[in-house]
Amino acid sequence: MSYEPARPVGRLLLTPQDKDVAARVRRLRRLGLGARAEPAFDAFADRLAEVTAVPYSMVNFIDENRQFFAGLHTPDGGDLDGGLGGELGGGPAVGRYMARDYGFCPHVVVRRKALVLEDVCDYPRFAGNPVVDEIGVRSYLGAPLIDHTGIVLGTVCAVDIEPRPWGRAGLEIIKSMAAELVEQIQLREGGGLPEG
């Protein structure tokens, strides 16, 4: 597969319309996902941060109103109860929850494919997102979590406050990690993965 970073465009892209949200919410509820933090997902986010050498990484489930970081890695290992903004750039507190119009994961969910933003400021469609100025995000690497039913449950992502040259290696890492997590989630249906 070829490496294709997001291409700059000349207009701001609003949060994309998510036609699959109702099916995703039903699937997340059936799997018991997206309502609470889980140690297994936090451990996965820790490993993703280590592999990608970033200060922040998330396992993110998205419903009709918000994003929920069921797995979260921060530099201090905290839960971010005080807010992601305070951690990154002193902006508004978002904790484990974030509005759907913040960040880049909603774009990954709708696109159904990985998104590589080496410097979000190079892309007008993403540079205007609130996480850039309000929270301090400069670099993003994310991939969708597509389960065996074909539904995109959410994303895994790595985030930095500095530009990052992810390259093809970064793309392959995030896609591989997403596939690994999907396998773990699918075990949940068969009773193989303990919840929480």
Side-chain angles (χ1 to χ4, degrees):
M1 174 165 258
S2 65
Y3 164 64
E4 293 181 35
R7 291 185 178 85
V9 295
R11 64 179 179 83
L12 173 65
L13 179 66
L14 302 175
T15 304
Q17 182 180 3
D18 185 355
K19 297 176 183 174
D20 298 325
V21 68
R24 178 172 38 269
V25 169
R26 284 191 301 274
R27 185 79 178 129
L28 289 171
R29 286 186 182 139
R30 180 173 178 186
L31 292 168
L33 298 173
R36 60 187 160 79
E38 298 190 24
F41 292 141
D42 281 339
F44 185 89
D46 290 342
R47 192 161 60 82
L48 176 58
E50 182 178 334
V51 168
T52 57
V54 297
Y56 304 92
S57 62
M58 295 92 169
V59 173
N60 186 6
F61 298 114
I62 301 174
D63 66 21
E64 61 272 87
N65 300 311
R66 66 183 185 188
Q67 302 175 66
F68 176 67
F69 305 129
L72 181 62
H73 172 86
T74 65
D76 66 2
D79 188 29
L80 293 189
D81 286 332
L84 189 59
E87 291 285 327
L88 290 173
V94 293
R96 282 199 186 251
Y97 295 94
M98 192 160 60
R100 283 196 78 251
D101 57 347
Y102 272 56
F104 312 110
C105 290
H107 297 274
V108 172
V109 166
V110 171
R111 290 166 38 112
R112 301 179 59 88
K113 61 182 182 178
L115 178 62
V116 177
L117 298 172
E118 295 180 343
D119 185 343
V120 297
C121 294
D122 289 343
Y123 304 92
R125 68 190 282 190
F126 296 114
N129 193 284
V131 298
V132 177
D133 291 332
E134 296 178 24
I135 298 176
V137 172
R138 285 295 300 276
S139 186
Y140 174 89
L141 180 67
L145 298 170
I146 304 173
D147 81 351
H148 67 89
T149 67
I151 294 174
V152 180
L153 302 173
T155 66
V156 293
C157 66
V159 176
D160 205 339
I161 58 173
E162 300 292 332
R164 295 288 303 263
W166 299 112
R168 182 183 306 270
L171 177 65
E172 293 306 318
I173 287 169
I174 201 70
K175 288 168 53 179
S176 172
M177 296 286 289
E180 177 184 322
L181 187 58
V182 166
E183 287 180 19
Q184 292 176 22
I185 290 169
Q186 289 177 182
L187 288 174
R188 184 183 286 257
E189 251 185 331
L193 178 71
E195 296 180 23

